[in-house]
Amino acid sequence: MIVDVLGRRFRNLRVSLTAACNYACTYCVPDGKRLQAAAMELSSDEMVKAIRLLIESAGIEKLRITGGEPLLSPKFDEVLPRVMDLGLDDVSLTTNGQLLPRKAELIKASGLERINVSLDTLDADRFRAIARSGDLATVLQGIELMLDAGLRVKVNMVPIKTANVDQVLPMLEYCLDRRIELRFIELMNMGYLKHDNAYTRDFFGMEEILELIGSSYEYARTDAPFDSTSVRYEIPGRGVFGIIANESEPFCASCTRLRLSSNGYLYGCLSNTARHDIKDVLAMPDDLARKELQGRLLNALGDKQTASFTGETTVMKFIGG
Ligand code: SAM
């Protein structure tokens, strides 16, 4: 097992099935742009082999399938059941939910137990203004189908000062009513936001979120797993919510995440553009591939920041958050 001087190792793998997305969220892509699939995306076989080898070589225990938008990928229907057979206890999926009603049966049949749905508002017009596509009612229907199927659902919301801060309390109430854990993701200074004043204008951080919630609810900080990115709070008698406080409470020092892009690159850190091509490894027999991966994993681990996001940030579409 590869461990660095801070005791960090890769435990948690996030796989981007495709870089393509059916949304064009204002904080993810500039106006008029849309995320396209990467050139030369891995095939289903390559993707499953990469995941299996990374489980064996890096000691991965948790896997998240993400994107782009994973449900948009033609590989999704084949990759999900095959990944569920790899023997991991903890597999989850992050999706914008737009295609959930269409994929609900397949997801149910796969045995997946956890799903995260990204949703920034409960207002249909605002939804279209932020996602610049899609339909709110379809996402809400998808969430109900997942709850009915017995999956544990979390909802991810990015509070944006000029767009949806008045939705923080309605979103929290919607989630508490359904025993869904709502997680607020602090806006990350990534991609095109790095070169745009929208980041400073729109950042709505942990302190502001807690102050807003405190105006209507009593809450107390509660335990979270040691390598969790989310700070968790309990509202007694109602449920829990979390804040992924990338800026306010950086979690780099305990980060165990490894990312695999849809075109076969490993990324050790969101705050680092360094990437490690493993496509050649996927053509090797298993023994040799595992040996070869050790060097790439060591390099990827060395890409991690020590305390906070201080490096060049890569673009979310490549690596799925
Ligand atoms: N399409 C899938 C989805 O919507 O969940 C997976 C990929 S998306 C990049 C993963 C998450 O990253 C979403 O919850 C999205 O809101 C979030 N995200 C994208 N850009 C972000 C940014 N600049 N800051 C914070 N979160 C961001």
Side-chain angles (χ1 to χ4, degrees):
M1 201 82 65
I2 302 167
V3 182
D4 74 5
V5 286
L6 293 179
R8 296 177 296 191
R9 70 171 182 89
F10 291 128
R11 228 182 120 240
N12 203 309
L13 176 64
R14 297 181 174 219
V15 174
S16 175
L17 266 199
T18 177
C21 190
N22 43 0
Y23 286 7
C25 296
T26 49
Y27 51 82
C28 188
V29 287
D31 203 8
K33 289 270 189 273
R34 196 164 272 280
L35 300 182
Q36 310 288 343
M40 311 280 285
E41 295 204 326
L42 298 183
S43 67
S44 300
D45 282 347
E46 287 172 320
M47 196 60 100
V48 174
K49 180 168 179 180
I51 296 169
R52 178 175 57 74
L53 286 170
L54 289 167
I55 293 171
E56 293 163 0
S57 307
I60 297 296
E61 294 164 25
K62 292 174 76 172
L63 175 73
R64 175 174 299 283
I65 299 173
T66 176
E69 171 48 41
L71 302 193
L72 198 59
S73 168
K75 292 190 288 263
F76 179 76
D77 296 14
E78 190 185 338
V79 169
L80 179 66
R82 288 178 65 186
V83 156
M84 295 303 291
D85 283 342
L86 292 175
L88 286 177
D89 287 337
D90 193 337
V91 181
S92 58
L93 171 69
T94 298
T95 171
N96 62 32
Q98 197 56 228
L99 296 171
L100 262 185
R102 278 195 234 169
K103 300 289 179 185
E105 282 307 317
L106 179 114
I107 291 173
K108 230 160 66 177
S110 76
L112 188 77
E113 292 176 1
R114 302 203 299 119
I115 189 164
N116 289 12
V117 181
S118 302
L119 178 64
D120 294 324
T121 173
L122 291 170
D123 177 277
D125 292 334
R126 212 89 63 77
F127 176 94
R128 285 195 68 85
I130 297 171
R132 295 190 281 211
S133 186
D135 168 56
L136 172 66
T138 309
V139 178
L140 297 180
Q141 184 200 355
I143 291 175
E144 296 300 335
L145 288 169
M146 293 297 98
L147 290 171
D148 291 347
L151 274 83
R152 261 173 50 218
V153 180
K154 288 183 184 172
V155 165
N156 292 339
M157 170 184 184
V158 182
I160 306 153
K161 204 173 258 169
T162 57
N164 65 351
V165 164
D166 64 328
Q167 292 290 298
V168 165
L169 295 177
M171 286 279 296
L172 184 56
E173 194 57 26
Y174 166 87
C175 289
L176 290 170
D177 278 350
R178 290 164 180 76
R179 313 300 287 176
I180 291 173
E181 182 171 331
L182 176 60
R183 294 163 2 133
F184 301 98
I185 309 180
E186 279 186 352
L187 188 64
M188 295 183 204
N189 200 2
M190 299 187 71
Y192 91 98
L193 287 184
K194 271 220 132 178
H195 314 286
D196 193 288
N197 66 6
Y199 177 75
T200 330
R201 184 194 66 204
D202 283 336
F203 182 79
F204 191 78
M206 183 177 201
E207 220 180 287
E208 294 163 289
I209 296 166
L210 288 176
E211 196 182 321
L212 186 52
I213 292 175
S215 65
S216 296
Y217 299 89
E218 286 200 2
Y219 62 82
R221 193 158 169 164
T222 183
D223 289 342
F226 84 97
D227 63 346
S228 170
T229 51
S230 150
V231 183
R232 288 176 95 227
Y233 298 87
E234 184 173 6
I235 299 178
R238 295 296 310 278
V240 289
F241 69 91
I243 302 181
I244 301 179
N246 165 65
E247 293 292 323
S248 308
E249 270 197 37
F251 34 81
C252 298
S254 60
C255 178
T256 60
R257 276 154 206 82
L258 173 67
R259 293 175 165 87
L260 174 66
S261 69
S262 58
N263 54 353
Y265 289 89
L266 292 178
Y267 288 82
C269 176
L270 267 184
S271 180
N272 198 326
T273 48
R275 58 183 196 168
H276 309 276
D277 194 351
I278 61 163
K279 288 189 289 295
D280 59 329
V281 177
L282 302 177
M284 296 175 186
D286 282 5
D287 273 4
L288 191 58
R290 279 192 287 266
K291 221 179 273 167
E292 193 60 40
L293 269 180
Q294 294 303 313
R296 321 262 167 123
L297 286 165
L298 196 63
N299 290 337
L301 194 60
D303 295 336
K304 286 198 179 299
Q305 305 290 317
T306 44
S308 63
F309 274 30
T310 48
E312 262 303 306
T313 43
T314 182
V315 183
M316 192 73 93
K317 69 169 178 172
F318 293 137
I319 47 178

